[in-house]
Amino acid sequence: MTEKDFPPGFRWGTATAAYQIEGAVAEDGRGPTIWDDFVRRPGAVRRGDTGDIACDHYHRWHDDFDLLDELGVNAYRFSIAWSRILPDGAGRINGAGLDFYERLTDDLLQRGISPMVTLYHWDLPSALQARGGWAARETADRFGEYVRVVADRLGDRVPQWLTLNEPYCSAFVGHLDGLHAPGIRDEATAVTAVHHLLLAHARGVEALRAANVVGEVGITLNLTSVRPASADSDDVAAAQRVDLFENRLFLDPLFRGRYPDDARSFYAGVTDFAFVRDGDLRAISAPLDFMGVNYYERHAVEANPADPVRGWHRVPPESPTITGIAVEPQGLREVLERVTREYTPLPVYVTETGLALFDYADPSGAINDAEREEYFRAHIDAARQAMHAGVPLAGFYPWSLMDNFEWAWGYGCRYGMYYVDYATQQRIPKRSALWYRDFLAAREVPRLTPVRAAE
Ligand code: IFM
């Protein structure tokens, strides 16, 4: 790869999320969230780990931003914890929460690092879960009100907003698999949550537009590359079903203003979609400025003879990583090209991609994550190929800046470029961080100047 491979202004970043790094869960007026509750459920998270302290980023954020400088990135994606702003999810505003995220934003801008702010990365305020959570339509309206409060404070300076991170996971991993908060296992609730999350996105976009924010507005979906295990018509049909709920159930409403034709038949025995009201899909498909893609998985699907109508099996990969999925950079190229070809000409950002490992410090203290270095190299190259095939790719944000609370895994696996020694909170650059630093230095990535509203 040469420096000519990526256009000037390309955003090279990295990403984190509030609950995974901040800690300080009871400080400065923060209210509880569904994750604070879920981690206390016996067996929900490995070893009973919690995000109570996590990387203590709430107190160490300035030193952590020095790591961004050290890497040489010109962009950084972080999320705002709704319950730091509105401890009860609605109503009373907590100024200390707004002050915290204002400090983060201003410090990044001063460093020439462009903030991309995610407004919802899975940490719903508990008070809203008590009123039905994502199964309740009102939660979308509460999200719009929260976004308006944030936009009033930061709308004059944040260059890029993401309404939601990975609504697939919020809806299905949280409400069907029960592996994430709120830990529900009910398919009708999960599909209802899909719609209310998309409606929340719509309310968030409306709030940002109404506040005349200077920044661009987008959403991040985790997309998978799904293919049939064979040309057999049953395998092809099974792959289409998986593609429905992993990809099209989100892409179609956002970019075509309708649910896919096969959604109603697939969910016929589960829900009649009565939760969709007039005007919802028009609002959900309101124009955006960019699209975020998180990519982790390409997989083959075969039919399940025991359930030919709804069933499917994931073909186990030949070389699974510790989370059971294979390293398949080709899949990143496929999902990026699909978004551009089938859905939208908007600029696309890879807002996450990364590899879980059991990293450890060797006797010299070095963390030799050669597999992660290779993962990033190969995925950047796949993204470059997609760009040369016509995808308007505008940025790349490897997951993650540092090891952090990996949801149901707790601290049991690591995704960071910086190793976190949780006993001391020391951050140590892994081999992948040193590689990314050198990769960016070779490209002389310029810092980005902030956009500001006219005084
Ligand atoms: O850690 C998560 C992140 O919060 C959302 N995307 C996937 C990552 C790795 O599992």
Side-chain angles (χ1 to χ4, degrees):
M1 281 182 272
T2 70
E3 61 275 17
K4 293 202 182 60
D5 283 336
F6 294 92
F10 194 85
R11 282 174 162 82
W12 289 105
T14 182
T16 61
Y19 187 72
Q20 295 182 271
I21 63 169
E22 284 179 1
V25 291
E27 248 174 90
D28 292 342
R30 177 188 181 276
T33 74
I34 54 173
W35 271 94
D36 298 291
D37 303 333
F38 187 65
V39 296
R40 296 201 149 69
R41 236 191 236 188
V45 175
R46 287 190 189 211
R47 300 181 312 191
D49 290 343
T50 76
D52 288 1
I53 299 173
C55 306
D56 194 31
H57 177 75
Y58 190 76
H59 301 112
R60 296 168 193 264
W61 63 269
H62 199 267
D63 291 346
D64 289 335
F65 285 2
D66 288 345
L67 305 181
L68 297 173
D69 270 334
E70 196 172 282
L71 285 174
V73 295
N74 61 7
Y76 173 61
R77 173 177 173 233
F78 67 94
S79 81
I80 292 184
W82 184 343
S83 76
R84 283 199 196 280
I85 310 298
L86 298 162
D88 309 312
R92 186 173 54 88
I93 297 172
N94 177 37
L98 285 167
D99 293 346
F100 174 63
Y101 294 111
E102 184 171 50
R103 283 196 292 277
L104 300 195
T105 303
D106 286 347
D107 192 78
L108 290 168
L109 290 171
Q110 261 168 22
R111 294 172 192 254
I113 297 174
S114 186
M116 181 185 272
V117 174
T118 311
L119 288 154
Y120 183 71
H121 198 122
W122 304 355
D123 43 0
L124 188 73
S126 302
L128 295 184
Q129 187 62 41
R131 283 184 250 158
W134 291 116
R137 186 177 171 92
E138 292 65 35
T139 302
D141 296 328
R142 300 293 87 77
F143 181 73
E145 291 157 15
Y146 148 66
V147 173
R148 184 62 197 244
V149 172
V150 176
D152 283 347
R153 176 67 80 92
L154 297 177
D156 64 347
R157 65 198 91 166
V158 166
Q160 291 183 306
W161 298 95
L162 289 166
T163 51
L164 308 180
N165 176 72
E166 302 183 359
Y168 168 88
C169 293
S170 298
F172 288 113
V173 188
H175 298 79
L176 176 61
D177 308 331
L179 298 173
H180 281 183
I184 292 169
R185 290 174 201 255
D186 181 72
E187 195 168 17
T189 308
V191 183
T192 308
V194 169
H195 186 66
H196 293 155
L197 281 152
L198 290 171
L199 196 60
H201 158 79
R203 298 287 175 259
V205 173
E206 286 161 8
L208 292 165
R209 301 296 189 209
N212 270 322
V213 297
V214 294
E216 300 170 346
V217 178
I219 183 171
T220 274
L221 301 181
N222 54 316
L223 299 179
T224 57
S225 174
V226 185
R227 64 188 190 287
S230 78
D232 182 282
S233 60
D234 289 343
D235 288 348
V236 171
Q240 272 168 2
R241 291 197 288 276
V242 174
D243 183 48
L244 166 67
F245 55 76
E246 289 192 349
N247 299 311
R248 292 184 285 117
L249 200 56
F250 301 89
L251 285 164
D252 283 38
L254 285 166
F255 295 108
R256 296 182 178 163
R258 56 184 161 80
Y259 281 105
D261 292 339
D262 50 343
R264 284 171 203 270
S265 52
F266 181 69
Y267 289 114
V270 174
T271 173
D272 57 4
F273 282 74
F275 45 71
V276 181
R277 297 201 190 154
D278 280 356
D280 285 2
L281 285 158
R282 203 173 331 111
I284 288 168
S285 57
L288 298 176
D289 303 314
F290 71 97
M291 165 71 188
V293 172
N294 290 357
Y295 170 75
Y296 289 89
E297 190 169 2
R298 175 178 195 250
H299 60 100
V301 167
E302 59 190 7
N304 174 0
D307 183 0
V309 181
R310 300 193 87 230
W312 57 284
H313 285 304
R314 186 176 304 241
V315 179
E318 271 176 29
S319 308
T321 64
I322 60 172
T323 53
I325 55 185
V327 175
E328 295 253 27
Q330 169 69 13
L332 175 58
R333 179 173 174 179
E334 289 163 357
V335 299
L336 292 174
E337 291 185 18
R338 180 188 197 185
V339 165
T340 299
R341 190 178 59 243
E342 296 181 24
Y343 287 99
T344 174
L346 286 175
V348 184
Y349 292 76
V350 177
T351 41
E352 281 182 32
T353 190
L355 177 63
L357 294 171
F358 298 130
D359 296 303
Y360 59 92
D362 73 15
S364 74
I367 294 114
N368 186 20
D369 60 339
E371 299 97 322
R372 187 174 289 110
E373 173 187 326
E374 182 48 34
Y375 181 100
F376 288 148
R377 191 198 309 274
H379 285 74
I380 289 172
D381 196 46
R384 183 189 61 81
Q385 289 173 29
M387 199 174 62
H388 286 280
V391 174
L393 187 74
F396 193 97
Y397 295 63
W399 182 266
S400 177
L401 170 63
M402 57 189 159
D403 298 332
N404 56 52
F405 176 80
E406 178 50 30
W407 309 113
W409 276 81
Y411 302 101
C413 69
R414 294 169 182 267
Y415 275 94
M417 289 187 276
Y418 283 82
Y419 183 88
V420 175
D421 177 342
Y422 292 106
T424 62
Q425 290 294 352
Q426 196 191 350
R427 279 63 160 145
I428 306 166
K430 303 180 192 175
R431 175 171 161 158
S432 58
L434 303 176
W435 174 81
Y436 194 43
R437 179 198 66 188
D438 292 348
F439 172 89
L440 298 179
R443 274 152 196 79
E444 295 177 358
V445 172
R447 295 301 169 100
L448 295 171
T449 46
V451 278
R452 276 276 185 178
E455 292 297 325

